[in-house]
Amino acid sequence: MPELVKNELPIKSNVQKDEVISPWKEAWRSFRKNKLALVGTTIVLFFVFLAVFAPVIAPAGIDDKALVNRLKPPSSENWLGTDDFGRDILSRIIYGARISLWVGLLSVLGSAVVGSFLGILAGYYGRWIDTLISRVFDIMLAFPSILLAIAVVAVLGPSLQNALIAIAIINVPNFGRLIRSRVLSVKEEEYITAAKAVGMKDSRILLHHILPNSMAPIIVQGSLAIATAIIEAAALGFLGMGAQPPNPEWGKMLADSKQYLIQAPWTMIFPGLAVMLTVLGFNLMGDGLRDALDPKMKQ
């Protein structure tokens, strides 16, 4: 009887291994699919580009006066016209991007660091520490933010640096309460309980476990807070409590041009558009980050 030969062929499986994607990589993929977020990011990068390369891009200096060209309308020589001192408005807006972005980024960074530290302490330790910090936040939030900023600048004195400090102070409660609520949720997770069971120090738990798992809301809040900080800096500058002359801060440019609204409207229109576009860019980017990083927003 002939021997049966059995051909053993490899069986191809249609089951593919699931690709392991990190949460940050998945968030980046989701962010790239959001067209409005990409538009906002493009606007932000455009103004960052202007701020970084201002000395190369700007056609004139920030305080190059020429009274003969006073209140000159937009032309091929001065694309956005000139102000009441004959200074090129385009150049001042370009240099003003440095000031607005600098104030926005540094003030939000300071408020995020201080607010996150206080929020982590309040949420993790609780009891009287939580009560004390939360009541301080409640008192600060009871005042309108711009009035609190004016009060701080009035005590410290009008200047760009003091305006930055004031904006940082008024944004601390927003970060603190946000991180406190996040910590209250994270500290109940099993891996935190396990870390405590093996005798891990509180400082290590806070730095290596709780803080990294609370970064997503900090990033989202930070991107949105920069837009608010730029508006607040412009408001303080408009009131004469922010950047002082001849610094080309956008709010100060609006204040100096308000009396020429009818005679030379371009002196107010273009600085106002700069503020609007920058704030719009950060808001769109912040909304995109929230949609990408918040699990509740994902479908």
Side-chain angles (χ1 to χ4, degrees):
M1 187 174 181
E3 183 180 358
L4 297 177
V5 180
K6 185 177 180 181
N7 296 325
E8 296 183 358
L9 299 176
I11 301 176
K12 295 182 179 181
S13 175
N14 292 326
V15 180
Q16 298 179 350
K17 294 182 179 180
D18 294 336
E19 183 182 358
V20 180
I21 303 176
S22 66
W24 294 106
K25 188 174 182 180
E26 183 181 358
W28 169 241
R29 289 184 178 182
S30 177
F31 183 82
R32 287 187 304 175
K33 295 178 182 179
N34 191 326
K35 295 182 179 179
L36 288 178
L38 293 180
V39 171
T41 304
T42 302
I43 295 174
V44 171
L45 291 178
F46 171 73
F47 280 98
V48 170
F49 175 81
L50 293 181
V52 172
F53 297 101
V56 179
I57 300 174
I62 61 174
D63 201 35
D64 292 348
K65 300 177 182 179
L67 294 180
V68 68
N69 294 327
R70 183 174 181 269
L71 298 178
K72 186 178 180 181
S75 62
S76 58
E77 183 179 356
N78 302 102
W79 289 4
L80 302 185
T82 60
D83 62 7
D84 53 326
F85 288 102
R87 296 172 296 192
D88 184 66
I89 293 178
L90 175 60
S91 300
R92 290 178 61 79
I93 288 178
I94 292 174
Y95 277 99
R98 283 186 165 187
I99 297 176
S100 295
L101 293 177
W102 181 70
V103 171
L105 291 173
L106 288 187
S107 63
V108 169
L109 179 61
S111 59
V113 172
V114 176
S116 298
F117 175 75
L118 295 176
I120 287 176
L121 291 180
Y124 186 77
Y125 291 106
R127 298 185 179 181
W128 67 269
I129 297 179
D130 184 19
T131 302
L132 176 61
I133 294 177
S134 296
R135 295 296 78 80
V136 172
F137 287 166
D138 291 339
I139 293 173
M140 295 178 67
L141 291 172
F143 295 92
S145 59
I146 188 62
L147 292 182
L148 184 58
I150 291 173
V152 173
V153 175
V155 173
L156 299 178
S159 70
L160 183 62
Q161 290 76 12
N162 293 338
L164 188 154
I165 294 173
I167 295 171
I169 291 174
I170 64 177
N171 283 313
V172 166
N174 297 326
F175 285 95
R177 298 187 69 176
L178 176 66
I179 300 307
R180 175 186 174 274
S181 62
R182 178 64 178 171
V183 172
L184 289 174
S185 174
V186 172
K187 76 175 186 178
E188 301 298 331
E189 298 290 340
E190 294 181 356
Y191 62 89
I192 300 297
T193 305
K196 293 180 180 178
V198 299
M200 187 176 292
K201 295 181 180 180
D202 289 346
S203 59
R204 185 174 178 83
I205 293 175
L206 292 174
L207 292 176
H208 293 272
H209 295 288
I210 291 182
L211 182 59
N213 286 282
S214 303
M215 287 303 297
I218 294 177
I219 294 174
V220 175
Q221 178 64 25
S223 62
L224 295 173
I226 292 176
T228 304
I230 291 175
I231 293 178
E232 291 165 346
L236 291 175
F238 187 83
L239 296 174
M241 307 187 74
Q244 300 300 306
N247 291 322
E249 198 274 325
W250 292 338
K252 182 61 177 174
M253 291 176 65
L254 290 172
D256 294 339
S257 303
K258 63 180 183 295
Q259 57 184 323
Y260 304 107
L261 178 60
I262 304 300
Q263 180 184 357
W266 57 87
T267 57
M268 288 196 70
I269 291 176
F270 294 118
L273 283 176
V275 175
M276 184 201 72
L277 289 175
T278 307
V279 172
L280 176 63
F282 277 106
N283 282 334
L284 291 177
M285 188 175 68
D287 289 340
L289 289 173
R290 181 191 59 192
D291 295 342
L293 295 174
D294 189 354
K296 298 180 182 178
M297 302 297 294
K298 298 178 182 179
Q299 298 179 356

